[in-house]
Structure formats: structure tokens, C-alpha cells
Amino acid sequence: MKSNRRNFIKQSGLLAGAGLIVNPFTAFSASIKNFTVGEIMDLFIAQVPDAPLPQTVDTLKSGNKNQVVTGIVTTMFATITVIRKAIELNANFIIAHEPTFYNHLDETTWLDNDPIYEFKRKLLDEHGIAVWRNHDYIHSLKIDGVQVGVVKELGWEEYYQGNAVLNLPETTLSDLISHVKTKMNVPALRYVGDLSQKATKILLLPGAIGGRRQIELIMKEKPDVLICGESPEWETPEYVRNANEMGEKLGLIIIGHSASEEGGSEFMAEWIRKNAEGVPVFHIPSGNSLLVK
């Protein structure tokens, strides 16, 4: 599938520096070279308010901090396909947004002797690839780096004020769905609401912050449409359905977790390009694990 925005391998062109400067779409640069994995990690973490975080899932899942970086791949998930592509690119450092080993804390003792886990672990170890999860830190920038990347991906920079609320020119729920599908290169998504409903005020919540938090923000911000990554069906989708049943005009668009935050990994690639010049950087979308037929 072709996309004007995204090739499978792409030298990222996103804007950088969210949280470092007043305008989140203004670039920040440095000229340090010959980085180790740990130096790249520390450089990014240093830009996060109140870092280092006392508790975080943002740890190395393979490799070590002292290895010299030959190239960096940013992605949502360090899939086997992504790992193999990093090997082809001579990139020994993968920065992933989500877990590598199928659970939030990347605990692996329960996977001992499992052939799928062992295959993936061996592939990383044999090729000396470090994997760092950058989830808590990128979300903790003064202006959320994932949010910045997603806004850029959707082409809504001029409406972005550094938070989750965007006031767009009047559109409809149907047209919003088409826009998201096109810009994010997703074949299908799920929604709740009247497709002809007019929409201006958008609440953009990539990823999965939890149904209760989504509903609390709907109550507070009173948007026309919530766009999110995912939500349990018995939580936000049911709340929005009830709102429509009582006559309220409220729309919900559920993109899917991976596609909804992929822009954040593109943001990360460009952040590295601007702050660690000389290191080859590639953004490789991991794509959705769940396919549509």
C-alpha cells in the first residue's frame, strides 16, 4: 500500500523539541557525535521535567548502555520484522514505544523456554541490538511528544495549542473518519455517533489512557468528537452510545492503539536527528497486529 506520508523505511521529517521550547513545532539541534546507547537515552531523559522518573517501564529490554550506536530505528513495537529490518540497516539500537515481550513491565520469567520468546531474544542478542522502551518519558515532556507527532501526522498543527483539545473548521463525523483513515493510513476504524453530526471541537487522546479518564475528559471539555487509540467496549463506547440515545451530539472515533501513536515514534526519530547529528536514524512503522478483512 502506498502512502504519500509514510514509506516502510523513512528518514523522518517530523518537527522536534516538544517541551524544550515555547513552540512545540520549532526545531532544536546539537552537534554531539559518536554516541553510546546510554548517552542517547540520557540526552532525551534530560529534557523531561523532574527526570529521572522514580518508577518507569522505560528500561533497556536488550543490549547494554555502553555499546556504540551504529544506527537507530524508532517504532511502536519492536516486532521481528522491525528487528530484521534494523539488522539490514546496520542499526543496533531500536527505540520502541510499547513493550517488547508481551506485557507492560516486559517481565520474561514466565516466558522461559517459550519458542516465540526465545526466537526473538536470540535474534536481538546474536546481532547485538539494544532495545529501549521510551513510553513514560516521551509522554512526560513539557508538551507530550506523542501528541505532537500525531498532530503533525494529521496535519492539524495550526489548530494545536499544546493540549488535547483542537478547534477545527466545521466538519462532520463522517469527514473526520475519512481524514483520519487517509492521514494515518488505516484501512478501517470504529466509531460511535451520527455520521452527519457537525464537529468542530475535537478531543485527541492517542493510545489507551483508560475509559474512566477518557470519560472524565469528555465531561470536562465537552467535545463534539473524541478521537482515541482504544477503549474497552463497556466503558467509553457505551458512554458515548448512551449520550446519543438521550439526544446528545457526541462522536467517538477509535483508531487502534498502534496507528494512533505511530506519529510519536516519527517524532522521536526527528528528535534524534536534531539532537544527535551524525547518527543514522530510520522510522519503521510496525503496523497493526490485528488485520481487517
Side-chain angles (χ1 to χ4, degrees):
M1 182 178 293
K2 295 181 180 179
S3 171
N4 291 332
R5 187 195 60 78
R6 178 190 296 156
N7 295 319
F8 184 64
I9 301 173
K10 175 181 175 184
Q11 290 272 6
S12 177
L14 288 176
L15 300 167
L20 310 183
I21 40 187
V22 174
N23 184 345
F25 293 101
T26 301
F28 173 85
S29 64
S31 58
I32 308 171
K33 301 183 188 220
N34 300 320
F35 288 96
T36 64
V37 165
E39 287 170 339
I40 294 287
M41 292 170 60
D42 291 344
L43 183 65
F44 188 86
I45 291 169
Q47 313 308 313
V48 177
D50 302 319
L53 301 176
Q55 292 183 323
T56 179
V57 296
D58 292 3
T59 58
L60 275 179
K61 312 306 177 182
S62 67
N64 67 80
K65 290 185 176 183
N66 295 323
Q67 65 190 73
V68 175
V69 174
T70 59
I72 297 175
V73 164
T74 66
T75 191
M76 273 289 290
F77 290 90
T79 66
I80 290 172
T81 299
V82 169
I83 294 167
R84 285 170 169 162
K85 188 56 63 174
I87 293 166
E88 292 176 14
L89 294 168
N90 191 35
N92 67 346
F93 188 17
I94 296 174
I95 300 177
H97 186 63
E98 297 296 2
T100 299
F101 298 117
Y102 326 120
N103 66 99
H104 185 56
L105 298 178
D106 278 298
E107 296 170 330
T108 59
T109 53
W110 65 288
L111 292 166
D112 283 349
N113 300 316
D114 175 76
I116 296 170
Y117 162 72
E118 294 291 350
F119 181 93
K120 190 173 191 179
R121 169 64 73 186
K122 183 177 179 181
L123 186 65
L124 291 167
D125 291 346
E126 285 186 347
H127 293 274
I129 295 177
V131 176
W132 175 45
R133 184 179 183 191
N134 184 4
H135 178 275
D136 298 347
Y137 283 112
I138 193 170
H139 279 304
S140 298
L141 288 168
K142 185 177 180 183
I143 300 178
D144 187 325
V146 172
Q147 193 179 78
V148 170
V150 172
V151 168
K152 172 65 178 177
E153 184 176 29
L154 289 168
W156 290 344
E157 304 98 300
E158 63 181 299
Y159 311 112
Y160 184 56
Q161 301 298 316
N163 56 46
V165 177
L166 295 95
N167 291 294
L168 306 181
E170 185 176 286
T171 184
T172 65
L173 179 59
S174 179
D175 287 343
L176 270 177
I177 289 171
S178 296
H179 181 84
V180 171
K181 287 171 65 177
T182 299
K183 292 291 187 179
M184 291 189 157
N185 193 28
V186 292
L189 46 75
R190 299 196 291 175
Y191 75 95
V192 180
D194 178 358
L195 289 174
S196 65
Q197 171 201 328
K198 302 296 183 184
T200 298
K201 188 174 183 180
I202 309 303
L203 182 60
L204 181 63
L205 302 175
I209 67 171
R212 178 167 177 167
R213 183 59 178 149
Q214 290 169 345
I215 293 169
E216 288 174 342
L217 287 170
I218 290 173
M219 294 165 60
K220 176 184 176 182
E221 302 294 348
K222 298 184 170 23
D224 298 318
V225 176
L226 164 63
I227 300 176
C228 68
E230 59 178 302
S231 181
E233 291 184 16
W234 64 90
E235 296 181 347
T236 308
E238 195 61 24
Y239 177 87
V240 176
R241 176 162 69 169
N242 287 175
N244 279 269
E245 288 172 331
M246 61 180 280
E248 295 291 326
K249 294 296 184 181
L250 176 61
L252 170 66
I253 298 174
I254 298 180
I255 302 167
H257 194 117
S258 185
S260 80
E261 292 193 296
E262 192 69 68
S265 293
E266 293 186 80
F267 164 88
M268 189 65 206
E270 185 57 21
W271 191 95
I272 294 166
R273 290 189 67 201
K274 298 296 183 182
N275 291 275
E277 292 182 5
V279 178
V281 180
F282 306 90
H283 171 61
I284 302 178
S286 55
N288 285 318
S289 55
L290 299 172
L291 305 179
V292 178
K293 183 177 181 181

